[in-house]
Amino acid sequence: MADVLTFTDRGIYCPAGDFHIDPWRPVDRALITHGHADHSRWGMKRYLATEAAAPVIRHRLGEIDLATIPYGVERRINDATVSFHPAGHVPGSAQIRVEVGGEVWVASGDYKTVADGLSEPFEPVRCHAFITECTFGLPVFKWLDEAVLTAQINAWWAANAAEGRTSIIGAYALGKAQRLLTCVDPAIGPILTHGAVENTNDVLRAQGVRLPATIRVTPDTKAADHPGALVVATPSALGTSWARRFGPAFTAYASGWMALRGVRRRRAADRGFVVSDHADWDGLNAAIRDTGATKIFATHGYTSAFQRWLADEGYDAHIVSTEYSGESIDEPEDQAEP
């Protein structure tokens, strides 16, 4: 039986449906898992994404031919049947199920198996073959319980506010920033946001996502006007003149990479919080196990180590080269965010 999905220099391709999934070069028809810049790119003739992902994609890419589909609804595209299922990564993110002649493959995009109160919770999808990310595909990566993480962040902010210092935390403008906003305690102090974060907040609020009140940072913003504030910034803004306007502030970086001490030192922040919108080691293994798939393709992350682990566990495991970046140490996942 021919493979349902193949791997080309433009992206993941379905010959029976004549479409690509998250292509990185221009194609005629693109099915998009979510709105981060490494998965939704400009230049496709036609796009298809979930209803919840569409507003952010339009915000980022402008006037495009974008059709939408609800979660779980099957759609026939030529000789393939497709459906989108929650990935738990960011609001609107999806795994894409493709069935051809009774053979089912699933492309995961990026995913997180633990519910965060913001994104639609991850749903396992049964299939014969599963294309998985493995950004954090090593046993060292194990995430904290959401309640413990929330308590850590609020305690850090409250202690800084008690000293009269601003707290600045770096987080991706789509997904992680809003996740932090939903868990912090607004009673501690005012919440300020970088323009890229607030632009995304505006889009998500317009589609019904509930977020606490925030104040957009402008050239006129002064720390003295917002004592004890929490500032949610893009990672690239930390250590720049944009951040220095807040004077001697405490800084933190929110990333799964904070689980590695060397990376924490490299970021030169006062504090690192282990926060990721990707699956950790246990989440990756659980997701794969729950699919029932026997053939696994590892796309981005610790692909070699993860492929060896899967092979030792009895899977028909392969490595696929893509242009997805996952959660990068140095550049934000939403680097193309305007």
Side-chain angles (χ1 to χ4, degrees):
M1 183 179 293
D3 287 345
V4 171
L5 298 174
T6 62
F7 304 93
T8 74
D9 61 355
R10 292 183 178 273
I12 300 169
Y13 178 64
C14 177
D18 191 22
F19 59 79
H20 289 77
I21 297 175
D22 291 351
W24 46 83
R25 291 184 178 84
V27 300
D28 179 70
R29 188 195 295 265
L31 277 58
I32 304 298
T33 61
H34 66 283
H36 277 140
D38 58 328
H39 288 261
S40 60
R41 304 177 189 236
W42 188 85
M44 315 304 159
K45 186 175 180 181
R46 291 175 289 174
Y47 296 79
L48 178 66
T50 67
E51 294 173 337
V56 164
I57 294 172
R58 288 194 179 99
H59 166 66
R60 285 195 49 253
L61 301 183
E63 293 297 323
I64 57 173
D65 183 354
L66 172 59
T68 62
I69 185 171
Y71 284 122
V73 173
E74 292 188 349
R75 180 170 298 184
R76 188 78 173 174
I77 302 179
N78 297 319
D79 292 328
T81 300
V82 305
S83 55
F84 288 57
H85 304 267
H89 177 55
V90 297
S93 62
Q95 308 165 79
I96 299 179
R97 180 187 186 274
V98 184
E99 181 173 358
V100 178
E103 183 86 0
V104 177
W105 287 40
V106 171
S108 73
D110 291 328
Y111 64 94
K112 178 172 78 276
T113 57
V114 177
D116 60 13
L118 174 71
S119 306
E120 300 84 356
F122 177 88
E123 293 181 4
V125 181
R126 302 289 292 183
C127 58
H128 299 97
F130 187 55
I131 303 170
T132 181
E133 64 142 316
C134 56
T135 303
F136 295 107
L138 292 178
V140 68
F141 296 108
K142 294 192 177 183
W143 308 149
L144 291 172
D145 180 83
E146 197 77 6
V148 174
L149 176 64
T150 295
Q152 287 184 351
I153 294 172
N154 282 322
W156 172 77
W157 177 21
N160 298 343
E163 294 185 25
R165 299 271 289 272
T166 300
S167 302
I168 307 176
I169 187 165
Y172 290 160
L174 169 59
K176 198 175 298 179
Q178 293 76 36
R179 182 178 169 191
L180 291 173
L181 289 173
T182 60
C183 74
V184 296
D185 181 2
I188 297 172
I191 304 173
L192 280 61
T193 53
H194 186 281
V197 172
E198 194 61 18
N199 288 344
T200 306
N201 289 349
D202 289 343
V203 175
L204 294 176
R205 284 188 178 111
Q207 64 187 87
V209 176
R210 297 184 63 181
L211 299 171
T214 53
I215 302 168
R216 181 188 294 267
V217 174
T218 69
D220 297 327
T221 301
K222 298 180 178 61
D225 296 333
H226 307 282
L230 175 68
V231 181
V232 181
T234 58
S236 59
L238 297 184
T240 68
S241 57
W242 184 93
R244 286 193 286 272
R245 77 182 70 198
F246 298 103
F250 288 106
T251 60
Y253 194 87
S255 171
W257 296 109
M258 294 298 101
L260 302 179
R261 292 180 180 179
V263 175
R264 291 201 297 268
R265 290 193 297 269
R266 177 176 166 184
R267 296 307 308 187
D270 301 306
R271 182 72 183 268
F273 292 106
V274 183
V275 186
S276 181
D277 287 327
H278 296 257
D280 64 1
W281 173 259
D282 290 339
L284 290 168
N285 281 279
I288 290 168
R289 184 171 58 250
D290 289 346
T291 66
T294 56
K295 181 178 288 188
I296 310 296
F297 297 88
T299 59
H300 52 294
Y302 287 97
T303 51
S304 296
F306 199 57
Q307 183 271 337
R308 289 194 298 270
W309 161 259
L310 292 173
D312 288 344
E313 291 294 295
Y315 292 98
D316 179 12
H318 307 265
I319 297 172
V320 177
S321 178
T322 67
E323 296 189 12
Y324 310 134
S325 61
E327 185 169 325
S328 172
I329 297 175
D330 293 314
E331 294 188 12
E333 200 163 18
D334 51 354
Q335 58 187 296
E337 174 74 19

